[in-house]
């Protein structure tokens, strides 16, 4: 079973401990205030007004009986209601203000909370897009996604509900406390004692409930992990008649979850009645004590005073219960906030390149920059020392000079790689899985940075080239095809956003994708969903090739671009590919040797080192590794290294 | 749908009934308290009767205790009923899914099934708990409070009646409008998250095409749209609280004014007025609660529908009444077979297939993408049923066999194969749970998997991670072949199962098959001609039809497609992959 946070663990593990909740909470506050300071100030003021309006209403019930009804009862027959009418009008005005301010703060909070969430989502996404590939290699995609879904959701709860609620509760508690002190001090002390008791007991239960919730999350994570794995392999289960076994294992996990979920829910449910009834007990105790005080007229305590006090007693325990309940959800939200801020704190992909790619035209044999799209590109190289700018034509000349590379500094996977690709050449990489073929191509477009050595592109060290411009000059068809939820047309257009429909169709024709696209239900307007799951693997690869074709880059990287196309279809694709490769520097990584045979240079990699290089004929003559793999005959010459 | 779901309550019926009962008891206790409070004020305080205060206070404590007991029991039974209901839902769904035929599995996507069993069940569990605990409690609380208020003073209590009606209508309007909005919003929200997901998995494409800014802009726009939709929906929802407040305040003021008049006129006591004021909150809060339950139920309707779909899905395939329990030999025959997938309309995938394969033969199958090679072999172990015609194994129609017997004798290595988390031994023993270590190692030798397993630090005890993510593609394929061999089947089908294995190893596996399991009929689907050219006979598939069936030499002479493929692959038929034919 995968452990918590294991494969695909979408944050279903036990609730992680938040290390510095105070600091995190401040960070959240700061984030909210960054854009919404005036809003928040208005909200705070409105909450104050709302609470005060409510409190004055409660106080009014005291004056109602003591100051208006009781005096009128003493003078039966000629009761004067005008004073009472005035008082009620006054209260009505306050109430009115209270209602308005409640509306105002709730309405503003919608903008504050939703706006903050929008900003967080945008910030997260924008920041995520700037992160290096390494980040995506080292973080499970499920975990990244859960930040957008689970963590932001809990944060929404916290910002839109818990925060105003807590503020409201805090203000209520303070004002009610002051009112109680004003009414009667001994009873206030009694109430405080009762409340402390409530706090203590519910704290105990909350602790228990929290532990069970942790267990529930863990069991839920385990069960969900199991369900995901088994649903993924459901067909294998059928083929092996493994249904009963899989049911048995499922039932065990299901029972575990039932038991922990039951306990967690039970304790959570019990919090309510326990708090409420303890509140009632506090109410009774106050009633008896207050009754005694009022009857004996101790300290001028009156019947009306008792009535008001009892209302306050109730309105004192309510916000305290709310506070304890909100605490739980705030702690959960902070765990999510922690992950959000951690992603935002990730170091973005560094780019200190300053050489840019510009459209160019040749005038009198000299390259000059131009705004129009000429089809001729140049690197604009500004020399700081001399203050001069020169233009180098983009041709696709790539040189590796003694390059070492490792995904981690302590584990080098490519050793002393030397490589020359002159413009228009087709360079092929062959070698077993893990030999470093894909790695080399990832270095050319700087998905990863090298540890040692130099890579030059048209004579310029690629570290000096702005990453965006470097990548624009390189077309790439990846091993795993990725398509976006959009039409076929838009998916191809991804390679060149301003391409016309005609250009898209031309590119599709070049890649021999036009035929199958036209047979799709809605042709080029067919919507692709779920990474193009409605297409076959081969069709998806054809689209990826078309996408690269429309970008029309001077250099091309094809990483196993035809691996999933059957050999017959591949022949059709190959024509398109050959057209595409015409006049471009192309790096081909291939599995099938037949696709690399006509390369200008074939490079054989083994364990991160180049062991052989040369044309097909040269390598066959060499009778080394390539010969062995190509012919299936054993190599005659070991340790071959040619130039 | 409700019937389907209701049937899953099963042993938790009692708890489901007791929960609302105790919740109602709790409400009664809560209601009695303001009544006693009034009595304390009227009969105790005003008459100076301290004894009455003690007695009533005592009763109030009893009532509070009773409320506590009822509330706690309601909490316990409610939790039991809801979590039990969820457990049963998961269990029944899972068991039903286990009976699904391939056609049923295709209908629901993997992700769809996972969501139904996880998120949707949790939604229903919460909704069910809410229904049990609140659906009876809230209206009951409102009715009791209303009755009591009327009992005290019908004229004043009618204020509440009017308030409830007005507030109720307003809440209904707000809720129906917002739920409609929220459904749209959540749909958009899912779309937004789907696009994030897409960006995460396609990050290399995004970066390679330098489309970060384009994606950012697209996202920011969608995100702003979502913000506007959220604000529009919540804008209506926030009227709730002030509306509620306004109603409560209005009631309090009306009561104060009219109550004062009545007290002066001697029609009401001050205690009565206090009780009436206390009921105000009770009545209106219950109404509020009810509207929340209503929202929650409508929100969980979608989950309920999705779960019912799985529960009501009947498997397409059942065992025959008198199943044949033994497969006599590994011969295969297709007679006039037509086949099309149920979910897809249109042309049949397989057209008029007639084939006869003898036991022990090795048959290669070759053909382009979409030529229905996989569909052809999946009929043999009855993963799908034919639309017309019949498929015979050992001379018997596959539909007459006991499915387990058939599938144990016809072992398929699926194209999209899966390893499960567990040790290599555990994974292998899916083929035969009683297999000894030696047997496991033997099949691994046949599948040429022994060489890499033995190099692993823990050998056969090495843990395979979920989805087999810690072994390479070629290693995974060889493990899957070994697993299938452990069944000692009469027919072995390899569906493109050595595509990631290098040519030399592929050849050794085929050699081992020929020597070690000569009596097993072997069907090998492959892209590489080298994988099939030494087979006894080769089937060439094209557009769902058998284009050619014969030996390598025959096909080379007579079959254009085969010749094409052969020529395109000869010479450089080598393939690099791990191990690299060392």
């Amino acid at each position: 079973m995968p452990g918590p946070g294991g494969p695909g663990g979408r944050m279903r593990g036990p609730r992680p401990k938040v290390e510095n909740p105070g600091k995190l909470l401040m960070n959240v506050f700061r984030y909210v205030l960054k854009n919404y300071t005036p809003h928040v100030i208005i909200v705070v003021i409105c909450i104050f007004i709302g609470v005060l309006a409510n409190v004055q209403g409660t106080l009014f019930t005291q004056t109602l009986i003591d100051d208006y009804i009781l005096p009128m009862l003493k003078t039966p027959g000629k009761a004067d209601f005008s004073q009472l009418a005035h008082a009620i009008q006054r209260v009505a005005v306050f109430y009115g203000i209270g209602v308005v301010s409640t509306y105002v703060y709730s309405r503003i909070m919608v903008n504050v909370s939703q706006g903050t969430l929008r900003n967080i989502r945008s910030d997260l996404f924008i920041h995520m897009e700037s992160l290096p590939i390494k980040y995506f290699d080292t973080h499970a995609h499920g975990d990244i996604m859960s930040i957008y879904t689970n963590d932001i959701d809990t944060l929404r709860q916290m910002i839109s509900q818990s925060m105003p609620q807590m503020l409201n509760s805090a203000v209520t508690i303070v004002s009610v406390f002051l009112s109680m002190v004003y009414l009667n001090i001994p009873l206030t002390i009694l109430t405080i004692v009762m409340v402390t008791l409530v706090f203590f007991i519910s704290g105990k239960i909350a602790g228990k409930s929290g532990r069970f919730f942790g267990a529930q999350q863990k069991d839920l994570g385990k069960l969900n992990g199991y369900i995901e794995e088994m649903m993924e392999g459901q067909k294998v289960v059928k083929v092996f008649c493994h249904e009963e076994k899989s049911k048995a294992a499922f039932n065990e996990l299901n029972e575990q979850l039932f038991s922990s979920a039951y306990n967690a829910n039970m304790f959570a449910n019990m919090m309510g009645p326990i708090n409420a009834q303890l509140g009632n007990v506090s109410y009774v105790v106050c009633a008896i004590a207050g009754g005694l005080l009022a009857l004996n007229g101790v300290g001028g305590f009156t019947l009306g005073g008792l009535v008001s006090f009892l209302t306050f007693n109730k309105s004192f325990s309510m916000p305290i219960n709310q506070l304890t309940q909100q605490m739980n959800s705030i702690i959960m939200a902070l765990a999510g906030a922690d992950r959000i801020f951690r992603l935002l704190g990730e170091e973005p992909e560094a780019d200190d390149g300053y050489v840019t790619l510009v459209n160019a035209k040749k005038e009198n044999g000299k390259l000059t920059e131009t705004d129009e799209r000429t089809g001729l590109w140049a690197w604009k190289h500004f020399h700081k020392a001399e203050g001069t700018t020169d233009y180098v034509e983009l041709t696709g000349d790539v040189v590796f000079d003694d390059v070492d590379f490792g995904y981690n500094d302590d584990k080098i996977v490519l050793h002393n790689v030397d490589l020359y690709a002159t413009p228009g050449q087709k360079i092929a990489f062959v070698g077993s899985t893990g030999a470093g073929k894909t790695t080399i191509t990832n270095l050319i477009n700087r998905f990863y940075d090298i540890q040692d050595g130099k890579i030059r592109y048209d004579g310029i060290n690629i570290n000096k080239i702005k990453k965006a411009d470097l990548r624009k000059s390189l077309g790439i068809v990846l091993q795993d095809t990725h398509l976006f939820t959009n039409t076929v047309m838009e998916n191809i257009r991804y390679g060149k956003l301003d391409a016309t429909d005609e250009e898209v169709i031309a590119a599709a024709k070049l890649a021999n994708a036009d035929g199958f696209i036209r047979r799709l239900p809605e042709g080029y307007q067919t919507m692709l969903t779920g990474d193009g799951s409605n297409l076959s693997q081969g069709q998806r690869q054809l689209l990826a090739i078309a996408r690269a074709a429309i970008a029309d880059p001077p250099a091309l990287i094809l990483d196993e671009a035809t691996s999933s196309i059957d050999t017959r279809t591949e022949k059709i694709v190959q024509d398109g590919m050959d057209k595409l490769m015409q006049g471009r520097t192309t790096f081909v990584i291939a599995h099938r040797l037949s696709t690399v045979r006509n390369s200008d240079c074939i490079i054989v990699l083994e364990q991160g080192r180049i062991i052989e290089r040369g044309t097909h004929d040269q390598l066959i003559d060499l009778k080394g590794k390539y010969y062995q793999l190509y012919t299936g005959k054993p190599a005659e010459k070991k340790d071959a290294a040619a130039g | 749908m409700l019937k389907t779901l209701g049937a899953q309550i099963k042993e938790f019926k009692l708890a489901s009934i007791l929960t609302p009962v105790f919740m109602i008891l709790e409400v009664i206790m809560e209601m009695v308290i303001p009544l006693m409070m009034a009595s304390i004020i009227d009969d105790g305080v005003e008459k100076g009767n301290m004894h009455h205060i003690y007695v009533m206070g005592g009763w109030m404590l009893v009532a509070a205790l009773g409320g506590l007991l009822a509330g706690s029991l309601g909490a316990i039974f409610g939790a039991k009923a809801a979590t039990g209901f969820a457990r049963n839902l998961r269990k029944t769904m899972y068991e039903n899914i286990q009976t699904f035929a391939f056609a049923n599995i295709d209908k629901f996507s993997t992700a769809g099934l996972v969501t139904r069993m996880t998120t949707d069940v949790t939604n229903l569990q919460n909704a069910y708990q809410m229904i049990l605990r609140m659906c009876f409690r809230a209206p009951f609380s409102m009715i009791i409070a209303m009755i009591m208020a009327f009992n005290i003073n019908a004229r004043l209590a009618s204020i509440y009646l009017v308030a409830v009606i007005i507030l109720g209508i307003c809440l209904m309007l707000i809720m129906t409008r917002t739920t409609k909005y929220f459904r749209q919003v959540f749909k958009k929200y899912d779309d937004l998250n789907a696009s994030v997901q897409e960006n995460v998995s396609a990050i290399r494409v995004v970066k390679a095409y330098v489309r970060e800014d384009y994606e950012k802009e697209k996202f920011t726009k969608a995100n702003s749209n979502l913000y506007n939709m959220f604000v529009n929906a919540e804008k209506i929802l926030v009227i709730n609280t002030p509306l509620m407040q306004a109603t409560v305040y209005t009631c309090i003021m009306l009561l104060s004014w009219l109550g004062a008049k009545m007290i002066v006129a001697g029609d009401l006591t001050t205690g009565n007025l206090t009780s009436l004021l206390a009921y105000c909150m009770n009545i209106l809060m219950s109404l509020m609660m009810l509207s929340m339950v209503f929202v929650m139920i409508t929100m969980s309707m979608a989950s309920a529908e999705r779960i019912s779909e799985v529960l009501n899905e009947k498997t397409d395939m059942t065992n025959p009444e008198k199943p044949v329990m033994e497969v006599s030999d590994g011969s295969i025959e297709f007679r006039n077979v037509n086949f099309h997938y149920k979910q897809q309309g249109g042309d049949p995938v397989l057209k008029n297939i007639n084939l006869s394969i003898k036991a022990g033969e090795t048959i290669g199958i070759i053909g382009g993408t979409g030529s229905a090679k996989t569909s052809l072999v999946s009929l043999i172990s009855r993963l799908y049923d034919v639309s017309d015609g019949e498929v015979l194994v050992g001379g018997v129609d596959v539909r007459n066999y006991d499915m387990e017997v058939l599938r144990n004798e016809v072992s398929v290595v699926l194209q999209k194969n899966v390893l499960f988390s567990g040790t290599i031994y555990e994974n292998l023993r899916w083929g035969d749970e009683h297999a000894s270590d030696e047997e496991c190692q033997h099949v691994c030798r046949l599948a040429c998997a022994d060489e890499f397993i033995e190099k692993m630090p823990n050998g056969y005890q090495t843990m395979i991670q979920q989805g087999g993510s810690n072994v390479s593609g070629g290693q995974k394929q060889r493990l899957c072949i070994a697993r299938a061999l452990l069944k000692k089947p009469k027919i072995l089908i390899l569906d493109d199962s050595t595509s990631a294995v290098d040519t030399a190893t592929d050849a050794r596996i085929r050699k081992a098959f020929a020597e070690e399991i000569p009596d097993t009929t072997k069907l090998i689907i492959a892209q590489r001609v080298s994988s099939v050219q030494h087979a006894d006979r080769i089937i060439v598939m094209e557009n769902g039809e058998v284009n050619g069936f014969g030996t390598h030499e025959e096909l080379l002479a007579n079959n254009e497609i085969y010749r094409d493929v052969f020529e395109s692959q000869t010479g450089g038929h080598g393939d690099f992959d791990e191990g690299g034919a060392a």
Side-chain angles (χ1 to χ4, degrees), chain A residues 102 118 121-122 224 229 235 238-239 245-246 254-255 292 349 433 485 494 566-567 591 628-629, chain B residues 50 90 94 98 100 106 118 198 207 211 215 223 245 369 421 433 487 569 575-577 581:
Chain A
T102 304
R118 176 197 56 192
R121 277 194 299 264
S122 283
N224 287 355
E229 180 166 19
K235 289 194 172 178
K238 297 298 285 186
V239 165
K245 274 240 163 103
S246 124
N254 196 18
E255 289 304 320
L292 282 171
E349 195 172 10
T433 312
T485 305
Y494 202 81
D566 62 276
T567 31
H591 196 77
Q628 176 203 340
L629 281 147
Chain B
M50 209 49 213
R90 277 192 296 263
Y94 196 82
Q98 296 309 313
F100 280 8
D106 294 339
T118 54
E198 228 166 53
K207 289 208 174 259
R211 291 287 176 260
E215 293 293 339
N223 193 17
Q245 272 186 358
T369 325
S421 42
E433 55 179 309
K487 276 191 186 176
Q569 291 187 23
D575 245 308
F576 273 93
D577 215 298

Side-chain angles (χ1 to χ4, degrees), chain A residues 486-530:
Chain A
N486 213 328
T487 59
V488 171
M489 184 75 92
E490 291 305 318
N491 264 292
I492 297 176
R493 213 195 303 268
Y494 202 81
K496 184 186 171 200
L497 295 178
D498 55 356
T500 62
D501 287 3
E502 286 69 37
E503 286 177 283
V504 170
I505 293 167
K509 279 188 175 144
L510 187 73
N512 283 320
D514 183 66
F516 92 82
I517 296 172
R518 285 190 193 281
R519 282 196 298 275
L520 291 174
E522 286 166 73
Y524 280 87
Q525 297 307 323
T526 308
M527 277 300 282
L528 299 180
T529 51

Side-chain angles (χ1 to χ4, degrees), chain B residues 311-332:
Chain B
L311 290 177
N312 290 330
E313 180 78 12
K314 290 273 175 303
T315 174
D316 279 8
M317 225 175 258
T318 46
N319 252 338
E321 269 179 33
K322 280 185 202 147
V324 179
M325 298 303 283
E326 206 182 336
V327 179
S328 59
D329 61 49
S331 66
I332 303 164

Side-chain angles (χ1 to χ4, degrees), chain B residues 181-408:
Chain B
Y181 269 123
F182 271 115
R183 270 197 196 167
Q184 292 168 355
V185 177
F186 284 121
K187 172 88 187 42
K188 275 270 177 290
Y189 196 23
D190 286 349
D191 289 350
L192 187 79
N193 283 332
S195 90
V196 175
Q197 169 99 56
E198 228 166 53
N199 258 278
V200 172
S201 58
I203 187 74
R204 279 164 197 268
V205 176
V206 174
K207 289 208 174 259
Y209 283 97
V210 200
R211 291 287 176 260
E212 290 100 326
D213 287 332
Y214 169 76
E215 293 293 339
K216 282 177 200 169
E217 200 183 311
K218 212 170 74 180
F219 181 86
T220 313
K221 217 168 119 197
N223 193 17
S224 291
N225 273 337
L226 185 71
Y227 163 77
N228 288 332
M229 288 179 78
F230 258 121
V231 169
N232 282 334
E234 290 199 349
K235 206 162 68 183
I236 309 170
L237 201 65
V238 294
I239 303 173
N240 264 351
T241 326
L243 181 72
M244 172 81 187
Q245 272 186 358
T247 319
V248 171
Y249 290 159
T250 314
C251 285
I252 289 176
M253 284 184 296
L254 280 173
L255 278 179
S256 304
W257 175 248
L258 297 174
K261 282 200 161 175
M262 289 174 93
I263 291 172
V264 173
D267 295 337
L268 197 74
T269 64
T270 46
N272 283 342
L273 183 61
T274 325
S275 304
L276 276 175
L277 285 173
Y279 288 130
C280 178
M281 279 309 263
N282 258 325
I283 292 173
L284 299 177
M285 279 306 274
S286 305
L287 192 64
M288 198 79 171
M289 194 59 104
L290 210 56
S291 69
M292 266 165 60
V293 174
F294 175 73
V295 171
M296 197 150 174
I297 292 175
T298 41
M299 294 266 202
S300 60
M301 275 325 244
S303 295
E305 269 162 36
R306 278 198 294 268
I307 290 177
S308 306
E309 267 170 33
V310 176
L311 290 177
N312 290 330
E313 180 78 12
K314 290 273 175 303
T315 174
D316 279 8
M317 225 175 258
T318 46
N319 252 338
E321 269 179 33
K322 280 185 202 147
V324 179
M325 298 303 283
E326 206 182 336
V327 179
S328 59
D329 61 49
S331 66
I332 303 164
E333 202 181 338
F334 280 71
R335 286 187 193 152
N336 304 319
V337 169
N338 284 316
F339 171 68
H340 64 87
Y341 290 100
K342 280 202 180 130
Q343 262 65 47
Q344 303 162 356
D347 290 345
V349 177
L350 287 171
K351 281 162 272 186
N352 195 31
I353 306 284
N354 282 292
L355 288 172
S356 182
I357 295 164
K358 292 191 283 288
E361 259 190 310
T362 300
I363 303 291
I365 302 173
I366 205 156
T369 325
S371 61
K373 304 181 294 283
T374 300
S375 307
L376 181 79
V377 296
S378 57
L379 298 178
I380 301 170
S381 59
R382 208 188 162 203
L383 302 178
Y384 295 93
D385 272 337
V386 294
S387 306
D388 288 306
E390 52 185 343
V391 177
L392 293 89
V393 167
V396 177
D397 190 320
V398 289
R399 284 169 293 191
N400 294 333
Y401 282 111
D402 175 77
M403 273 194 278
E404 190 164 344
V405 169
L406 178 72
R407 285 180 190 162
N408 278 332

Side-chain angles (χ1 to χ4, degrees), chain B residues 63-81:
Chain B
L65 203 67
L68 181 68
L69 201 66
S72 301
L73 285 172
I76 292 169
F77 286 119
K80 183 141 225 154

Side-chain angles (χ1 to χ4, degrees), chain A residues 88 119 178 238 252 380 414 423 437 445 452 485 589 641:
Chain A
I88 287 186
N119 294 346
L178 290 178
K238 297 298 285 186
E252 198 179 308
K380 183 180 181 180
L414 285 179
K437 297 167 298 190
N445 60 10
D452 202 11
T485 305
I589 296 172

